[in-house]
């Protein structure tokens, strides 16, 4: 959106088909105020959304036509007329945001919007719009007064001419006609002079209007030529756009192909990197195997010495085995003796337990005997 509130409501415009005057500059029109702004027009289909009329900020000017005493807002983007709005007293310029304003033109059947770089420029434009609007209203009032004055004057002249005729026709005698003929003829002559002057003014006005009409036709012809050139330029740009689009599609296809090739190249690079890492690992393993082989060769040189040592160790092992057998025999003998000793200890424990049981019985009897003696001593 160009600014806040630019499309806040629906715009209903009267459906008129009035022709718009061509764009200045003419010799009779002079710019009275100029600024720069981004130009927008309301979307004719939705009456809500704004459509940019210029790609960048363009010159927007107030023009004054001294001949017709009228004011217009004009803006041209290159050879294209984007604003051609005659200001009327019924128009209103509305600020919809800090940097955006709009007004409706019923003759052009659209709504124009202007986006300014700053709020100060918008304020100046709005003040000028109000000033021009008041001037247009004053010019309209003066024009209406002139029309009413000329109309009243024509009616008074119409009344005076028949009365003079009637005055000359009602005279009864030739003497009276002769006496009243002089002033009537003078009055008629003055009226004829007035009519001639009015006719001359009308002729000059007709010539002026014909001149303006011819100027309008020439301007319309120039606008038509510019429109045709714009249409031809549009067709040319459309063709260039189609060609660029086709070229763009071709470039996209090539880019996709190149991307596929790049992906394949990247995959191939990854495979090569994996092979390189595997090759390094194999080289490392090969170096380790060579070191092991060298160690084995060194160990192979000391194998005869190891064999002799192994024979001596075997002899020592045999002697140790024989000693081990003797020791095993001794261990078995000792185990037998230990078992016999354990058996004797078990028997001794049993006998000792029996002896302790008997001793406990004797001790109990002795205790009872002592208690009996103690009782006898107490009785005695």
């Amino acid at each position: 959106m160009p600014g806040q509130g630019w499309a806040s409501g629906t715009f209903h415009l009267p459906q008129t088909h009035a022709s718009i005057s061509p764009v200045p500059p003419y010799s009779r029109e002079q710019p009275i105020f100029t600024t720069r702004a981004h130009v927008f027009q309301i979307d004719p289909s939705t009456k809500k959304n704004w459509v940019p009329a210029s790609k960048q900020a363009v010159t927007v000017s107030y023009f004054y036509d001294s001949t017709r005493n009228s004011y217009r807002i004009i803006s041209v983007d290159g050879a294209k007329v984007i604003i051609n709005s005659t200001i009327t007293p019924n128009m209103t310029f509305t600020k919809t945001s800090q940097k955006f304003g709009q007004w409706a033109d019923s003759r052009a059947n659209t709504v124009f919007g202007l986006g300014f770089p700053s709020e100060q420029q918008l304020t100046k434009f709005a003040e000028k719009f109000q000033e021009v609007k008041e001037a247009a209203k004053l010019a309209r009032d003066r024009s209406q007064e002139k029309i009413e004055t000329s109309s009243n004057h024509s009616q008074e002249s119409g009344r005076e001419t028949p009365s003079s005729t009637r005055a000359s026709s009602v005279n009864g005698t030739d003497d009276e006609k002769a006496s009243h003929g002089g002033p009537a003829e003078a009055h008629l002559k003055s009226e004829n002079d007035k009519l001639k002057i009015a006719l001359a003014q009308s002729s000059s006005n007709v010539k002026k209007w014909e001149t303006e009409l011819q100027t309008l036709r020439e301007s319309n012809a120039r606008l038509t030529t510019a429109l045709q050139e714009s249409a031809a330029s549009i067709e040319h740009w459309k063709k260039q756009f189609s060609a660029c689009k086709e070229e763009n599609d071709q470039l996209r296809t090539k880019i996709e192909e190149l991307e596929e090739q790049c992906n394949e190249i990247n995959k191939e690079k990854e495979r090569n990197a994996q092979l390189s890492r595997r090759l390094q690992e194999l080289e490392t393993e090969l170096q380790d195997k060579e070191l092991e082989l060298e160690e084995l060769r060194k160990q192979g040189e000391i194998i005869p010495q190891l064999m002799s040592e192994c024979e001596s160790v075997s002899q020592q092992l045999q002697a140790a085995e024989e000693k081990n057998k003797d020791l095993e025999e001794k261990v078995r003998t000792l185990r037998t003796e230990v078992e016999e000793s354990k058996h004797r200890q078990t028997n001794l424990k049993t006998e000792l337990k029996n002896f302790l049981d008997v001793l406990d019985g004797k001790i109990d009897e002795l205790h009872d005997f002592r208690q009996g003696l103690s009782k006898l001593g107490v009785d005695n």
Side-chain angles (χ1 to χ4, degrees), residues 101-122:
Q102 64 187 40
W103 78 95
D105 189 343
S106 59
R107 295 183 180 182
N109 193 26
T110 187
V111 178
F112 293 103
L114 296 179
F116 293 89
S118 65
E119 185 178 0
Q120 183 179 5
Q121 294 182 1
L122 172 60

mmCIF file of all heavy atoms in Angstrom, residues 101-122:
data_model
loop_
_atom_site.group_PDB
_atom_site.id
_atom_site.type_symbol
_atom_site.label_atom_id
_atom_site.label_comp_id
_atom_site.label_asym_id
_atom_site.label_seq_id
_atom_site.Cartn_x
_atom_site.Cartn_y
_atom_site.Cartn_z
ATOM 1 N N GLY A 101 -2.171 12.186 -0.144
ATOM 2 C CA GLY A 101 -3.454 12.858 -0.306
ATOM 3 C C GLY A 101 -4.118 12.421 -1.596
ATOM 4 O O GLY A 101 -3.475 11.873 -2.503
ATOM 5 N N GLN A 102 -5.431 12.696 -1.715
ATOM 6 C CA GLN A 102 -6.178 12.226 -2.886
ATOM 7 C C GLN A 102 -7.330 13.184 -3.174
ATOM 8 O O GLN A 102 -7.770 13.936 -2.313
ATOM 9 C CB GLN A 102 -6.731 10.815 -2.629
ATOM 10 C CG GLN A 102 -7.748 10.750 -1.497
ATOM 11 C CD GLN A 102 -8.155 9.336 -1.149
ATOM 12 O OE1 GLN A 102 -7.327 8.452 -1.122
ATOM 13 N NE2 GLN A 102 -9.438 9.152 -0.893
ATOM 14 N N TRP A 103 -7.794 13.134 -4.437
ATOM 15 C CA TRP A 103 -9.009 13.864 -4.826
ATOM 16 C C TRP A 103 -9.687 13.109 -5.959
ATOM 17 O O TRP A 103 -9.050 12.391 -6.721
ATOM 18 C CB TRP A 103 -8.683 15.306 -5.220
ATOM 19 C CG TRP A 103 -8.090 15.461 -6.604
ATOM 20 C CD1 TRP A 103 -8.729 15.754 -7.761
ATOM 21 C CD2 TRP A 103 -6.697 15.316 -6.954
ATOM 22 N NE1 TRP A 103 -7.858 15.818 -8.815
ATOM 23 C CE2 TRP A 103 -6.595 15.552 -8.340
ATOM 24 C CE3 TRP A 103 -5.548 15.023 -6.230
ATOM 25 C CZ2 TRP A 103 -5.390 15.492 -9.016
ATOM 26 C CZ3 TRP A 103 -4.357 14.968 -6.916
ATOM 27 C CH2 TRP A 103 -4.280 15.197 -8.282
ATOM 28 N N ALA A 104 -11.011 13.265 -6.043
ATOM 29 C CA ALA A 104 -11.817 12.588 -7.057
ATOM 30 C C ALA A 104 -12.093 13.555 -8.201
ATOM 31 O O ALA A 104 -12.414 14.721 -7.989
ATOM 32 C CB ALA A 104 -13.127 12.094 -6.459
ATOM 33 N N ASP A 105 -11.946 13.045 -9.453
ATOM 34 C CA ASP A 105 -12.245 13.828 -10.660
ATOM 35 C C ASP A 105 -13.371 13.129 -11.398
ATOM 36 O O ASP A 105 -13.176 12.073 -12.010
ATOM 37 C CB ASP A 105 -10.991 13.927 -11.532
ATOM 38 C CG ASP A 105 -11.172 14.916 -12.679
ATOM 39 O OD1 ASP A 105 -12.329 15.263 -12.984
ATOM 40 O OD2 ASP A 105 -10.153 15.341 -13.256
ATOM 41 N N SER A 106 -14.589 13.726 -11.325
ATOM 42 C CA SER A 106 -15.751 13.083 -11.958
ATOM 43 C C SER A 106 -15.666 13.129 -13.471
ATOM 44 O O SER A 106 -16.194 12.250 -14.160
ATOM 45 C CB SER A 106 -17.044 13.775 -11.483
ATOM 46 O OG SER A 106 -17.010 15.152 -11.821
ATOM 47 N N ARG A 107 -14.972 14.135 -14.019
ATOM 48 C CA ARG A 107 -14.832 14.191 -15.472
ATOM 49 C C ARG A 107 -13.949 13.068 -15.992
ATOM 50 O O ARG A 107 -14.245 12.464 -17.025
ATOM 51 C CB ARG A 107 -14.248 15.545 -15.881
ATOM 52 C CG ARG A 107 -15.177 16.719 -15.576
ATOM 53 C CD ARG A 107 -14.570 18.008 -16.083
ATOM 54 N NE ARG A 107 -15.432 19.159 -15.811
ATOM 55 C CZ ARG A 107 -15.149 20.408 -16.181
ATOM 56 N NH1 ARG A 107 -14.015 20.660 -16.823
ATOM 57 N NH2 ARG A 107 -15.986 21.377 -15.891
ATOM 58 N N ALA A 108 -12.861 12.820 -15.291
ATOM 59 C CA ALA A 108 -11.963 11.719 -15.691
ATOM 60 C C ALA A 108 -12.446 10.378 -15.165
ATOM 61 O O ALA A 108 -11.873 9.337 -15.507
ATOM 62 C CB ALA A 108 -10.549 11.989 -15.182
ATOM 63 N N ASN A 109 -13.503 10.385 -14.312
ATOM 64 C CA ASN A 109 -14.070 9.159 -13.758
ATOM 65 C C ASN A 109 -13.010 8.331 -13.024
ATOM 66 O O ASN A 109 -12.890 7.126 -13.220
ATOM 67 C CB ASN A 109 -14.732 8.318 -14.864
ATOM 68 C CG ASN A 109 -15.599 7.216 -14.278
ATOM 69 O OD1 ASN A 109 -16.093 7.343 -13.164
ATOM 70 N ND2 ASN A 109 -15.770 6.142 -15.012
ATOM 71 N N THR A 110 -12.229 8.994 -12.166
ATOM 72 C CA THR A 110 -11.184 8.292 -11.425
ATOM 73 C C THR A 110 -10.863 9.083 -10.160
ATOM 74 O O THR A 110 -11.387 10.172 -9.933
ATOM 75 C CB THR A 110 -9.907 8.107 -12.270
ATOM 76 O OG1 THR A 110 -9.000 7.273 -11.553
ATOM 77 C CG2 THR A 110 -9.240 9.425 -12.567
ATOM 78 N N VAL A 111 -10.005 8.498 -9.341
ATOM 79 C CA VAL A 111 -9.492 9.153 -8.136
ATOM 80 C C VAL A 111 -7.979 9.172 -8.243
ATOM 81 O O VAL A 111 -7.349 8.133 -8.485
ATOM 82 C CB VAL A 111 -9.938 8.428 -6.853
ATOM 83 C CG1 VAL A 111 -9.354 9.111 -5.629
ATOM 84 C CG2 VAL A 111 -11.446 8.380 -6.762
ATOM 85 N N PHE A 112 -7.379 10.342 -8.095
ATOM 86 C CA PHE A 112 -5.930 10.488 -8.153
ATOM 87 C C PHE A 112 -5.370 10.503 -6.728
ATOM 88 O O PHE A 112 -5.976 11.060 -5.810
ATOM 89 C CB PHE A 112 -5.540 11.791 -8.859
ATOM 90 C CG PHE A 112 -5.893 11.810 -10.320
ATOM 91 C CD1 PHE A 112 -6.995 12.520 -10.773
ATOM 92 C CD2 PHE A 112 -5.130 11.127 -11.250
ATOM 93 C CE1 PHE A 112 -7.327 12.552 -12.113
ATOM 94 C CE2 PHE A 112 -5.456 11.141 -12.595
ATOM 95 C CZ PHE A 112 -6.562 11.853 -13.030
ATOM 96 N N GLY A 113 -4.206 9.913 -6.566
ATOM 97 C CA GLY A 113 -3.509 9.907 -5.285
ATOM 98 C C GLY A 113 -2.069 10.336 -5.474
ATOM 99 O O GLY A 113 -1.430 9.976 -6.470
ATOM 100 N N LEU A 114 -1.549 11.115 -4.530
ATOM 101 C CA LEU A 114 -0.168 11.612 -4.593
ATOM 102 C C LEU A 114 0.554 11.259 -3.300
ATOM 103 O O LEU A 114 0.052 11.532 -2.206
ATOM 104 C CB LEU A 114 -0.155 13.132 -4.797
ATOM 105 C CG LEU A 114 -0.750 13.671 -6.104
ATOM 106 C CD1 LEU A 114 -0.668 15.189 -6.123
ATOM 107 C CD2 LEU A 114 -0.041 13.095 -7.313
ATOM 108 N N GLY A 115 1.727 10.643 -3.456
ATOM 109 C CA GLY A 115 2.584 10.340 -2.313
ATOM 110 C C GLY A 115 3.795 11.262 -2.331
ATOM 111 O O GLY A 115 4.572 11.263 -3.286
ATOM 112 N N PHE A 116 3.948 12.072 -1.269
ATOM 113 C CA PHE A 116 5.003 13.084 -1.207
ATOM 114 C C PHE A 116 6.159 12.595 -0.341
ATOM 115 O O PHE A 116 5.979 11.760 0.553
ATOM 116 C CB PHE A 116 4.443 14.384 -0.626
ATOM 117 C CG PHE A 116 3.424 15.060 -1.516
ATOM 118 C CD1 PHE A 116 2.081 14.740 -1.395
ATOM 119 C CD2 PHE A 116 3.810 15.976 -2.465
ATOM 120 C CE1 PHE A 116 1.143 15.345 -2.208
ATOM 121 C CE2 PHE A 116 2.872 16.586 -3.278
ATOM 122 C CZ PHE A 116 1.535 16.271 -3.163
ATOM 123 N N PRO A 117 7.358 13.150 -0.577
ATOM 124 C CA PRO A 117 8.507 12.756 0.262
ATOM 125 C C PRO A 117 8.390 13.229 1.705
ATOM 126 O O PRO A 117 8.970 12.627 2.589
ATOM 127 C CB PRO A 117 9.700 13.419 -0.448
ATOM 128 C CG PRO A 117 9.224 13.726 -1.832
ATOM 129 C CD PRO A 117 7.760 13.997 -1.711
ATOM 130 N N SER A 118 7.634 14.330 1.932
ATOM 131 C CA SER A 118 7.544 14.864 3.288
ATOM 132 C C SER A 118 6.143 15.411 3.524
ATOM 133 O O SER A 118 5.388 15.704 2.580
ATOM 134 C CB SER A 118 8.583 15.972 3.500
ATOM 135 O OG SER A 118 8.307 17.083 2.668
ATOM 136 N N GLU A 119 5.804 15.569 4.799
ATOM 137 C CA GLU A 119 4.502 16.111 5.176
ATOM 138 C C GLU A 119 4.397 17.584 4.797
ATOM 139 O O GLU A 119 3.320 18.081 4.462
ATOM 140 C CB GLU A 119 4.294 15.924 6.673
ATOM 141 C CG GLU A 119 2.914 16.345 7.169
ATOM 142 C CD GLU A 119 2.744 16.088 8.652
ATOM 143 O OE1 GLU A 119 3.705 15.592 9.277
ATOM 144 O OE2 GLU A 119 1.652 16.368 9.176
ATOM 145 N N GLN A 120 5.510 18.301 4.815
ATOM 146 C CA GLN A 120 5.495 19.724 4.480
ATOM 147 C C GLN A 120 5.087 19.931 3.021
ATOM 148 O O GLN A 120 4.273 20.808 2.721
ATOM 149 C CB GLN A 120 6.884 20.317 4.733
ATOM 150 C CG GLN A 120 6.977 21.824 4.493
ATOM 151 C CD GLN A 120 8.373 22.353 4.781
ATOM 152 O OE1 GLN A 120 9.280 21.579 5.067
ATOM 153 N NE2 GLN A 120 8.539 23.654 4.697
ATOM 154 N N GLN A 121 5.613 19.119 2.115
ATOM 155 C CA GLN A 121 5.234 19.240 0.700
ATOM 156 C C GLN A 121 3.755 18.916 0.499
ATOM 157 O O GLN A 121 3.073 19.559 -0.305
ATOM 158 C CB GLN A 121 6.110 18.326 -0.147
ATOM 159 C CG GLN A 121 7.567 18.738 -0.169
ATOM 160 C CD GLN A 121 8.413 17.844 -1.043
ATOM 161 O OE1 GLN A 121 7.909 16.913 -1.662
ATOM 162 N NE2 GLN A 121 9.706 18.112 -1.091
ATOM 163 N N LEU A 122 3.255 17.906 1.230
ATOM 164 C CA LEU A 122 1.828 17.580 1.139
ATOM 165 C C LEU A 122 0.983 18.765 1.612
ATOM 166 O O LEU A 122 -0.033 19.104 0.990
ATOM 167 C CB LEU A 122 1.532 16.335 1.981
ATOM 168 C CG LEU A 122 0.053 15.965 2.156
ATOM 169 C CD1 LEU A 122 -0.597 15.685 0.815
ATOM 170 C CD2 LEU A 122 -0.086 14.769 3.072
#
